[in-house]
Amino acid sequence: QKPRKKHRKNRKIIPYRRPRNDIGKLIFGVIFLYLLINIFIYMGHEKIQFYEVSEGGIVNDRPYTGLILREEQVYNADNSGYINYYLREGKRASVGSRVYSLDETGRLDSLLKEHGVENQTLSDENLADLKKQLSSFVTSRSDEDFGAIYDARYTLEAAVMEYSSFSALDQLDQIARESGIVFEQVVSPQSGVVSYGFDSYENLKPEEVETASFDRSAYTKTFHKSGDLIESGTPAYKIATSENWSVVFPLTEEDRALYGDKSSLEVEFKDHSIETTASFSIFTGKDGSVFGKLDFNKYMAQFITDRFVNFEIRQDQAKGLKIPVSAVTEKNFYQIPRDFVTQGGDSTDSGVNKEIYDANGTTAVFTPIEIGFDDEEFYYIAVQEDGPLKAGDYIVKPDSQGRFQVGSTRALKGVFNINKGYTVFKEIEILDSNSEYYTIKKGASYGLSVYDHIVLDASLVTEGQILYQ
């Protein structure tokens, strides 16, 4: 018997496919998209920066341009000729000091040029001083004060005249003697500081000052130097005969309020690196305008080439807390009389007895309030839609039948404190200010303290906003 063949069943092999994890990819994609959107939102929003409150004051010095008045005596040339000076601008002359020589022929000037007097080389020290003067002018120059360029020019010319010409003019007598030249020598009849610039303001008195006196566009100044040809009867030099001098300047109504009760002021001349105290007075000028007058008894020689001068009057600094102007905003508060505020029951919370109306009549119910600020007359409660008090509510004075209707408001300045991670309005009392900062009162009951963090730009947030630092 033949063996029976096993029947083999054909089996089809199907490859195993792992299930796709589409849910995981979807979740990952959503998270990624969420993060991407938040990054774009974060990049597109202005960053909320904070400022740490510091103790101190602000510098609030007030700048002015004044007109210098001195006791000046102008001396004219008796003859025409070429002038050569012996004393430099700003040098003090004594009685009998040689000030200048006058050569009618011009031969002396030619001899000086032949001997190389006119073309002497400046020393390194002299050049360094000239560069220092020029740098000082460039640093303090203002586009609005164009006339100061001419003053700087005269000052530099005077310095160059001092360094180049005067050292060589020691040879003048010897050169003239050897050449047989006769020339006129002029000596000073009085002591004082010599100057060679003329501007017609030499005899100006305070009572003659007017607003037009400060018009720099109409101001002119002539300046003589060695070798110039001058005519008989024209100014040759002048002498400031006293150390007493004054600066006059226009006063605004605000200035009069600030300085009206002052007899002295602290003054700084930045261009000359001078700080000093001056006697102060107020007077009425020729045209009825009001001017201030600062009187000095030293430093006159340092300003001998100046007629107009820039200066600052130093202000007393208010002591307190210093905050940026950008951090300040305003908020409305209800004004509640102080004697209507009490403490309820066993609680130490401040509140008012608010009238509540129902079917049983009127009842005075203690209502807690959050005081934002106070003064001698009122407590100030923030105006809020969901606040404990609304305009028109009546409150009752403790132990009395006196009633007060809530409604009167006042806008108070303040900042957003962020110590707790969200913005809280804090009222401030401003003591002083400039264009960048306020000085505010320190130690206010409901105010700021040193090292508090506040929002730098109050316009970017609202009250109660949560901030993520």
Side-chain angles (χ1 to χ4, degrees):
Q1 189 177 8
K2 290 182 181 181
R4 184 181 297 175
K5 291 182 179 180
K6 283 186 176 183
H7 178 70
R8 291 184 180 181
K9 187 176 181 182
N10 291 333
R11 295 180 179 178
K12 186 176 182 181
I13 300 175
I14 301 174
Y16 174 77
R17 293 184 181 180
R18 293 181 179 180
R20 293 188 302 175
N21 193 6
D22 292 335
I23 295 177
K25 291 181 179 179
L26 179 62
I27 293 174
F28 176 79
V30 170
I31 293 174
F32 178 78
L33 183 62
Y34 173 78
L35 291 175
L36 193 63
I37 291 173
N38 276 275
I39 289 173
F40 277 110
I41 292 175
Y42 176 79
M43 296 292 289
H45 276 70
E46 293 190 67
K47 309 302 181 296
I48 307 301
Q49 297 178 309
F50 73 88
Y51 173 86
E52 186 174 89
V53 177
S54 60
E55 189 171 5
I58 57 177
V59 177
N60 200 17
D61 299 338
R62 302 173 72 89
Y64 299 92
T65 297
L67 178 65
I68 295 178
L69 302 181
R70 293 176 284 256
E71 295 180 21
E72 299 171 281
Q73 180 64 53
V74 178
Y75 293 95
N76 297 330
D78 294 331
N79 300 293
S80 300
Y82 294 89
I83 197 167
N84 285 287
Y85 291 107
Y86 290 89
L87 296 175
R88 72 175 185 267
E89 176 92 4
K91 181 75 173 181
R92 184 170 294 278
S94 58
V95 176
S97 297
R98 289 194 301 178
V99 180
Y100 70 90
S101 66
L102 198 65
D103 169 32
E104 298 182 8
T105 64
R107 290 181 59 200
L108 182 60
D109 185 59
S110 299
L111 284 172
L112 290 173
K113 292 179 179 178
E114 288 176 11
H115 286 78
V117 170
E118 191 179 68
N119 298 316
Q120 289 204 16
T121 303
L122 297 180
S123 67
D124 291 340
E125 182 180 356
N126 296 155
L127 286 172
D129 183 65
L130 289 172
K131 289 179 180 178
K132 182 180 178 181
Q133 292 186 47
L134 187 58
S135 297
S136 176
F137 164 72
V138 172
T139 302
S140 60
R141 187 186 70 84
S142 170
D143 292 336
E144 289 78 20
D145 191 13
F146 188 77
I149 295 176
Y150 296 99
D151 292 340
R153 171 193 164 192
Y154 297 137
T155 302
L156 290 170
E157 284 182 349
V160 171
M161 180 169 62
E162 173 188 351
Y163 297 142
S164 62
S165 300
F166 286 110
S167 60
L169 286 176
D170 293 337
Q171 309 170 35
L172 180 62
D173 291 338
Q174 180 181 350
I175 294 173
R177 191 165 50 251
E178 292 174 354
S179 305
I181 297 175
V182 178
F183 57 94
E184 178 186 5
Q185 296 193 66
V186 177
V187 298
S188 173
Q190 58 184 323
S191 62
V193 177
V194 176
S195 178
Y196 307 111
F198 312 95
D199 58 7
S200 75
Y201 281 61
E202 285 81 10
N203 297 316
L204 187 65
K205 305 299 181 186
E207 60 271 15
E208 299 171 341
V209 173
E210 55 186 339
T211 301
S213 304
F214 295 85
D215 183 4
R216 301 291 292 274
S217 64
Y219 177 75
T220 58
K221 183 176 183 179
T222 58
F223 194 87
H224 289 324
K225 60 183 184 293
S226 291
D228 286 350
L229 175 63
I230 67 172
E231 299 294 330
S232 175
T234 59
Y237 72 103
K238 66 183 180 184
I239 290 182
T241 58
S242 173
E243 277 295 319
N244 297 322
W245 57 292
S246 303
V247 175
V248 297
F249 60 103
L251 286 181
T252 64
E253 289 297 327
E254 185 180 359
D255 294 332
R256 294 177 67 178
L258 280 173
Y259 312 135
D261 60 343
K262 305 287 186 182
S263 59
S264 65
L265 294 171
E266 295 293 324
V267 181
E268 180 181 9
F269 300 96
K270 287 191 173 181
D271 295 346
H272 295 266
S273 300
I274 292 176
E275 295 182 30
T276 187
T277 301
S279 298
F280 175 72
S281 58
I282 296 175
F283 70 96
T284 302
K286 181 180 178 181
D287 60 352
S289 300
V290 179
F291 300 92
K293 181 169 171 280
L294 300 167
D295 295 317
F296 305 88
N297 55 18
K298 57 183 178 180
Y299 304 120
M300 186 274 295
Q302 282 89 324
F303 297 87
I304 192 65
T305 61
D306 300 318
R307 181 62 68 186
F308 294 93
V309 63
N310 297 322
F311 64 95
E312 291 185 355
I313 295 178
R314 290 199 169 274
Q315 299 291 304
D316 295 333
Q317 284 193 19
K319 299 299 181 181
L321 303 178
K322 182 179 177 182
I323 62 171
V325 170
S326 61
V328 176
T329 185
E330 285 190 351
K331 182 179 177 180
N332 287 326
F333 286 79
Y334 290 124
Q335 295 177 304
I336 307 298
R338 293 183 67 95
D339 52 2
F340 277 76
V341 177
T342 184
Q343 291 180 340
D346 297 330
S347 172
T348 59
D349 293 338
S350 295
V352 294
N353 295 321
K354 177 181 174 183
E355 289 187 349
I356 303 296
Y357 309 98
D358 55 26
N360 297 321
T362 303
T363 307
V365 177
F366 177 79
T367 304
I369 58 173
E370 184 176 346
I371 299 172
F373 176 63
D374 69 335
D375 56 27
E376 295 180 356
E377 188 176 359
F378 296 104
Y379 285 112
Y380 293 86
I381 314 303
V383 176
Q384 297 175 328
E385 290 186 7
D386 56 349
L389 296 179
K390 303 287 190 300
D393 287 346
Y394 279 94
I395 57 177
V396 180
K397 183 186 294 188
D399 303 323
S400 170
Q401 297 300 314
R403 301 167 74 234
F404 176 82
Q405 186 176 33
V406 178
S408 178
T409 63
R410 178 182 170 187
L412 299 178
K413 292 184 181 297
V415 298
F416 288 121
N417 182 296
I418 56 173
N419 291 352
K420 298 179 179 179
Y422 58 91
T423 56
V424 177
F425 184 89
K426 292 288 186 179
E427 193 275 341
I428 61 173
E429 184 177 345
I430 297 173
L431 303 176
D432 198 3
S433 66
N434 61 18
S435 60
E436 296 182 5
Y437 291 96
Y438 287 123
T439 298
I440 65 172
K441 185 177 180 179
K442 179 184 176 182
S445 302
Y446 307 96
L448 295 174
S449 301
V450 180
Y451 308 125
D452 278 351
H453 286 183
I454 61 175
V455 176
L456 181 61
D457 187 349
S459 67
L460 300 180
V461 299
T462 57
E463 188 171 8
Q465 180 176 333
I466 298 174
L467 300 180
Y468 299 96
Q469 299 297 324

